[in-house]
Amino acid sequence: EKGGWSSFMRKEVAEQPEAVQKTILGRAVDGKVVIPELEAFGDDRLRDIHRITVVACGTASYAGLVAKYAIEQWARIPVEVELSHEFRYREPVLDEHTLVVSISQSGETMDTLMAVKYAREQGAKAISICNTQGATIPRESDAVVYTHAGPEVAVASTKAFVAQITALYLFGLHLARVRGTLDDAALAENLAELQAIPEKLEAVLGESDGVAQLAHWMADTRSVLFLGRHVGYPIALEGALKLKELAYIHAEGFAAGELKHGPIALIEPGQPVFVVVPSPRGSQNLHPKVVSNIQEIRARGARVIAIAEEGDAAVLPFADEVVRIPLAAPLFEPLLAVVPLQVFAMELAEAKGLDVDQPRNLAKSVTVE
Ligand code: M6R
């Protein structure tokens, strides 16, 4: 079943361009998003929503955090992202104008399932983003938008993550059209950005050797930090989770803006820090802020590995290593920037002789509380 690959994870990392492409397939028509599965749910109900609460666990919750930025920007609806196991124990405020969007690769995660059931009992509507046809969570929801990543066998989620972001972006563009918050030109432009991702992912995968080499050099590392900002922040969290679960290395992801509020105290000479650098072309002008974060940690001896877009020269004087990703509109960068972090964790785990498909203590789907 591994089809010549040394592990399922390696195979699934390589399948990411296809996972994105198949998730878009049939849902992009003449520059517009069409999601047939949402027809029965109805556009009127989508217009009637006042806010969205995303419920998910682990990597799926980070896909939700990425999508929060895009959906709020495009559809102008407040989006909150909650870990499923926290959500249902805090008496969340819900009503018929709340849309709960669950995200689950397996569709069987107990906490997410219970969160969906609870939300519907309180009168909220529920849409699920799921990779497994006919799973329990979609059956318990009002509608489902499937990700078409194909079966994900390795415990560490990779291709399901990029497919989840893809499905959520399609959903966000659909919402923006229904609610009239983006015009046709903006819808078509964003959809074209999404459709260009598979080819760019191929390019990122083709450049993985440098990251693999870095991971092998760093096989003895005991702690790695990850920084990101805006959509790069959830990617920092995801990079840290991958490293923990695959290589059993202590890792933390931080929002770069938090550095001065505590985490910078962790920086000592030799501390490796991955920094997901926002595009210098972004409208919010976050790039110089993150470059100055890099300078601050470098001055304290950090070993900086920057994930930066092609042509971004500002990082060169301060980063020890630069991993390049192709140009993409800022909201779409997470789909590319996550790949070197997945590869880094996988290669480092392999360098330590660990089983990347079945890390210790973990199950592919967590069907108990
Ligand atoms: O099947 P689900 O998407 O609901 O699973 C959620 C998490 O258990 C899962 O993403 C987990 O964090 C992965 N092992 C991360 O690689």
Side-chain angles (χ1 to χ4, degrees):
E1 269 185 84
K2 279 184 225 164
W5 296 91
S6 58
S7 65
F8 280 107
M9 182 172 180
R10 201 169 279 281
K11 172 173 179 273
E12 288 160 9
V13 164
E15 285 172 346
Q16 293 185 102
E18 202 185 334
V20 172
Q21 195 196 344
K22 287 191 171 162
T23 300
I24 301 171
L25 197 72
R27 291 168 172 166
V29 182
D30 298 332
K32 289 201 177 62
V33 173
V34 178
I35 308 182
E37 300 102 304
L38 292 183
E39 262 163 37
F41 187 85
D43 289 354
D44 284 343
R45 276 208 273 180
L46 289 179
R47 276 186 280 267
D48 196 36
I49 295 163
H50 295 177
R51 66 194 177 101
I52 293 175
T53 299
V54 173
V55 291
C57 299
T59 291
S61 76
Y62 301 147
L65 278 177
V66 170
K68 170 186 165 82
Y69 293 85
I71 296 174
E72 287 194 338
Q73 186 174 320
W74 294 335
R76 308 307 300 153
I77 302 177
V79 180
E80 55 180 358
V81 182
E82 283 260 356
L83 294 168
S84 316
H85 33 90
E86 288 295 321
F87 174 78
R88 74 190 170 98
Y89 290 105
R90 66 164 177 82
E91 296 184 34
V93 182
L94 298 162
D95 60 22
E96 70 275 21
H97 300 294
T98 310
L99 176 66
V100 168
V101 175
S102 67
I103 310 170
S104 177
Q105 188 286 130
S106 62
E108 302 296 344
T109 298
M110 177 63 81
D111 282 310
T112 305
L113 171 64
M114 298 311 276
V116 169
K117 282 190 173 173
Y118 177 85
R120 289 186 79 204
E121 279 161 21
Q122 305 296 310
K125 303 285 173 279
I127 290 180
S128 94
I129 307 289
C130 183
N131 196 46
T132 311
Q133 293 281 333
T136 313
I137 296 172
R139 284 206 313 268
E140 292 289 339
S141 303
D142 296 291
V144 51
V145 179
Y146 281 108
T147 47
H148 296 295
E152 192 181 62
V153 177
V155 164
S157 188
T158 54
K159 63 176 182 172
F161 177 70
V162 292
Q164 283 159 352
I165 296 175
T166 303
L168 288 159
Y169 276 25
L170 289 168
F171 176 64
L173 291 173
H174 178 68
L175 262 184
R177 181 167 62 83
V178 168
R179 296 169 69 95
T181 48
L182 286 186
D183 61 21
D184 287 355
L187 288 169
E189 201 179 303
N190 282 297
L191 188 53
E193 281 284 343
L194 193 57
Q195 288 174 300
I197 289 295
E199 209 181 310
K200 294 178 187 180
L201 275 171
E202 292 288 4
V204 179
L205 289 165
E207 296 290 318
S208 296
D209 286 357
V211 181
Q213 202 167 53
L214 190 64
H216 285 258
W217 289 334
M218 290 172 64
D220 295 331
T221 305
R222 296 180 57 86
S223 151
V224 181
L225 305 180
F226 295 79
L227 295 179
R229 204 167 170 150
H230 195 256
V231 278
Y233 167 43
I235 296 306
L237 298 175
E238 171 63 1
L241 177 59
K242 283 284 149 304
L243 200 57
K244 286 179 227 188
E245 70 175 334
L246 290 163
Y248 318 151
I249 289 177
H250 173 254
E252 293 289 332
F254 298 108
E258 274 294 290
L259 257 188
K260 288 190 192 55
H261 301 282
I264 199 164
L266 288 169
I267 306 294
E268 55 186 20
Q271 171 67 54
V273 185
F274 277 84
V275 183
V276 182
V277 183
S279 167
R281 300 165 298 120
S283 57
Q284 282 108 342
N285 212 21
L286 293 171
H287 178 265
K289 298 189 170 69
V290 172
V291 172
S292 108
N293 291 144
I294 293 177
Q295 285 175 264
E296 285 155 6
I297 56 172
R298 188 70 189 299
R300 288 160 180 82
R303 176 156 181 227
V304 177
I305 304 126
I307 316 273
E309 73 171 32
E310 272 157 22
D312 178 357
V315 295
L316 286 173
F318 313 113
D320 296 270
E321 314 281 344
V322 181
V323 180
R324 294 292 182 188
I325 56 169
L327 300 191
L331 282 174
F332 295 83
E333 283 171 359
L335 289 158
L336 306 174
V338 71
V339 175
L341 303 184
Q342 298 166 339
V343 171
F344 178 76
M346 175 178 73
E347 295 284 355
L348 205 152
E350 286 202 340
K352 289 175 77 170
L354 302 172
D355 180 348
V356 294
D357 285 343
Q358 187 50 262
R360 68 184 180 201
N361 307 340
L362 292 171
K364 181 65 184 160
S365 112
V366 183
T367 53
V368 291
E369 284 194 60

